[in-house]
Amino acid sequence: MRRIRFVLWGLLVACCASCPDAFSRNKKGEDGPRVVFIGDSITDGNWGCVYHYKKTSAERSRTDLNHIYGHTYMSLVATWYETRHPRAGYQFYNRGFSGHKLTDLAHRWQEDVLDLHPDVLSVLVGVNDIYDYVENGDGAEFDFAAWKELYKSLLLQVRAQNPGVKLVLCTPFVARQGALGEKPDYARREELTKRLAVLVRELAKETGAGLVPFDTLFEKLIRRQPRPSYWIWDGIHPTPAGHRKMAECWLRHVRL
């Protein structure tokens, strides 16, 4: 029995030695890598909203740990790292806001990105840009070039502040499900969203950012599942199972 214990202990030590983050990286605790997730409702998950929805970061709770990350893929990613590397001092920030478009992110970029001085920045945006354009547009063509230019300018601001920042760009997605899927112009909405996903892929190459292909993730999941609403319930928002798959996808494509 004692011999077995020694063998098991040796295996544990060997595993720990091969994973320096677990014990040796940044023993200061709170001074670890700062990881910011910014986007719309798919990222938001009501983070920091203890009782009622809040519209700005300043209004949201930073102390109630039941709500600090919200309830989306972001929370699952954050807790995955925190449970495996408790001494690394990772600092995660959710800055998703329901209904926001790229221009909304630009308006709060200083407060919700630059002021946080991220070492890692993950961005998921685009579905509301298309939704708002189709619902409230004036008939003009969607300006894809301007959208890409604004997105790139925001990323370059972060890179100028911290040349070593790790940028992570996530592709937007929709599905023919729920209220969105029932709209007669769904095919057009899907095509426009796919065009944004193409731009995100181009931006990832141009800026040296990592890419998380959420669009292809859900395409594959829906093809394999006879009840697609199992993954996305209203055409835009993933179910809890969908968010778990998003977290797994993010973790496959990103290394902090």
Side-chain angles (χ1 to χ4, degrees):
M1 181 63 70
R2 291 181 62 187
R3 184 176 181 181
I4 293 175
R5 287 175 182 171
F6 279 121
V7 171
L8 292 175
W9 176 250
L11 291 173
L12 176 61
V13 171
C15 290
C16 292
S18 67
C19 185
D21 280 336
F23 291 100
S24 62
R25 184 178 180 182
N26 192 1
K27 294 181 181 179
K28 295 179 181 179
E30 291 305 317
D31 296 328
R34 303 168 70 87
V35 187
V36 177
F37 287 73
I38 192 167
D40 49 39
S41 58
I42 300 172
T43 301
D44 187 338
N46 276 359
W47 71 268
C49 297
V50 182
Y51 298 111
H52 304 290
Y53 183 76
K54 305 296 183 182
K55 294 183 178 180
T56 68
S57 294
E59 294 177 288
R60 298 196 183 199
S61 172
R62 315 293 179 83
T63 58
D64 187 327
L65 298 188
N66 282 332
H67 305 85
I68 196 69
Y69 293 152
H71 309 286
T72 67
Y73 72 99
M74 179 275 165
S75 175
L76 296 173
V77 169
T79 54
W80 189 93
Y81 271 98
E82 289 176 334
T83 55
R84 283 160 179 78
H85 310 294
R87 298 190 184 184
Y90 284 112
Q91 300 176 74
F92 288 91
Y93 301 87
N94 189 338
R95 290 299 181 267
F97 277 87
S98 181
H100 276 200
K101 306 184 293 293
L102 182 63
T103 51
D104 298 304
L105 269 60
H107 290 152
R108 57 188 178 89
W109 201 251
Q110 181 65 48
E111 176 185 2
D112 285 348
V113 177
L114 298 178
D115 288 353
L116 292 176
H117 298 278
D119 298 296
V120 181
L121 174 66
S122 179
V123 186
L124 172 57
V125 68
V127 65
N128 288 318
D129 295 78
I130 299 305
Y131 191 92
D132 182 69
Y133 165 72
V134 174
E135 294 289 332
N136 305 308
D138 57 7
E141 291 294 319
F142 187 89
D143 196 336
F144 289 98
W147 191 87
K148 180 181 178 182
E149 182 179 1
L150 175 59
Y151 201 150
K152 188 171 185 178
S153 72
L154 295 175
L155 299 176
L156 293 180
Q157 288 179 37
V158 186
R159 173 103 357 116
Q161 180 189 69
N162 177 9
V165 68
K166 180 187 289 291
L167 300 173
V168 179
L169 309 186
C170 306
T171 55
F173 55 88
V174 291
R176 192 183 287 276
Q177 297 298 319
L180 186 74
E182 294 172 358
K183 289 182 178 291
D185 58 358
Y186 171 78
R188 179 169 178 250
R189 295 168 185 263
E190 181 182 45
E191 188 273 332
L192 293 173
T193 304
K194 286 184 176 181
R195 289 183 65 180
L196 289 189
V198 169
L199 296 184
V200 171
R201 286 180 165 83
E202 292 176 359
L203 283 169
K205 291 181 179 179
E206 293 171 11
T207 61
L211 179 77
V212 180
F214 286 148
D215 56 341
T216 55
L217 166 70
F218 281 106
E219 288 172 4
K220 292 176 181 178
L221 289 174
I222 289 172
R223 282 201 301 268
R224 299 170 184 170
Q225 170 61 253
R227 184 164 57 89
S229 60
Y230 185 83
W231 304 112
I232 299 183
W233 63 276
D234 64 351
I236 294 176
H237 299 95
T239 62
H243 277 289
R244 176 57 183 255
K245 286 297 185 180
M246 289 178 70
E248 292 174 358
C249 182
W250 199 98
L251 290 167
R252 280 198 307 273
H253 289 86
V254 182
R255 293 292 182 270
L256 300 187

